[in-house]
Amino acid sequence: MPLLADILAHDIENTFDLEKPLDRLKIMQMALYHDTEEAYTGDLITPVKNKSPELKKEWDKLSSIMMKEGLLHDFPGQHHIVKYIVHIHHVYEEGKYSALENQIVKFADGLQSVVYLLREIGFGNKHIVSILHNVMKGMTNMFGDHAYLKQYMVQLRQLVDKTLTTGAVSVSAVQSV
């Protein structure tokens, strides 16, 4: 996923006239550590996490505790490392719906899910089509009006539609998104 985030950042910098350059180091750090808590909690898919605001709040609180405890266990006596990772994770979580760098990471994370789901469908797993629709709906809601990410959503929608109608996943099409 860090690779996708970096490619998106590079493309955005070369396609759009930005007011200020992207903080590519921040993007890479967030891409590397954005799911750190999942090493200790496992992954709870977004539709389940977002089923209710109360569940999301409690899951986020539990994830934070588990991440800190897990990191302290994995890096005994290395509190500076734990503090560093927790800080980067917090920066990502706090700005993932507002700061462009954070949104690039969030978009790359969604794109990685879409690519995985498309490959599964291409292998014949038709049971996950509804999951793909939910992921695309969430990404469209999140990024469909975003000045920089809107064009990627259009390309991604075309790829998804092509895959669902033909059953074929074009690797070059995935790479072009």
Side-chain angles (χ1 to χ4, degrees):
M1 200 279 288
L3 176 66
L4 289 173
D6 188 52
I7 290 169
L8 281 167
H10 176 77
D11 192 46
I12 287 170
E13 285 181 328
N14 286 287
T15 304
F16 298 99
D17 186 24
L18 302 176
E19 291 179 21
K20 63 179 185 165
L22 293 171
D23 186 340
R24 300 286 286 279
L25 176 59
K26 180 179 177 184
I27 290 170
M28 294 308 295
Q29 289 171 329
M30 289 187 299
L32 286 169
Y33 295 112
H34 80 285
D35 280 340
T36 301
E37 79 282 357
E38 291 179 8
Y40 306 103
T41 63
D43 189 9
L44 184 62
I45 61 173
T46 300
V48 173
K49 279 189 264 192
N50 293 336
K51 196 70 174 167
S52 77
E54 296 85 19
L55 174 63
K56 174 127 177 68
K57 182 179 177 183
E58 291 303 314
W59 179 258
D60 289 347
K61 191 185 319 179
L62 175 65
S63 293
S64 241
I65 292 167
M66 294 296 292
M67 179 175 62
K68 286 178 189 173
E69 289 180 7
L71 289 169
L72 287 170
H73 179 267
D74 288 347
F75 297 98
Q78 304 294 316
H79 295 287
H80 65 285
I81 293 172
V82 173
K83 186 177 177 180
Y84 172 73
I85 294 171
V86 169
H87 170 73
I88 291 170
H89 187 269
H90 179 74
V91 166
Y92 169 69
E93 288 294 325
E94 287 298 308
K96 69 182 175 185
Y97 300 111
S98 57
L100 180 56
E101 286 86 355
N102 301 53
Q103 290 178 327
I104 289 169
V105 173
K106 184 74 175 158
F107 187 88
D109 193 33
L111 180 58
Q112 181 179 1
S113 296
V114 170
V115 169
Y116 170 78
L117 293 167
L118 287 174
R119 285 184 180 152
E120 283 294 309
I121 292 167
F123 291 140
N125 185 352
K126 304 299 182 199
H127 302 288
I128 60 171
V129 171
S130 63
I131 296 170
L132 175 62
H133 284 301
N134 286 338
V135 170
M136 288 298 296
K137 182 179 177 184
M139 288 182 71
T140 300
N141 290 341
M142 195 175 306
F143 303 113
D145 294 328
H146 191 281
Y148 304 116
L149 298 173
K150 184 177 183 175
Q151 75 174 4
Y152 298 107
M153 283 306 303
V154 169
Q155 292 173 7
L156 191 56
R157 171 54 60 197
Q158 291 170 350
L159 172 63
V160 167
D161 291 345
K162 178 181 177 188
T163 299
L164 294 178
T165 53
T166 67
V169 177
S170 168
V171 175
S172 62
V174 170
Q175 291 170 344
S176 73
V177 174

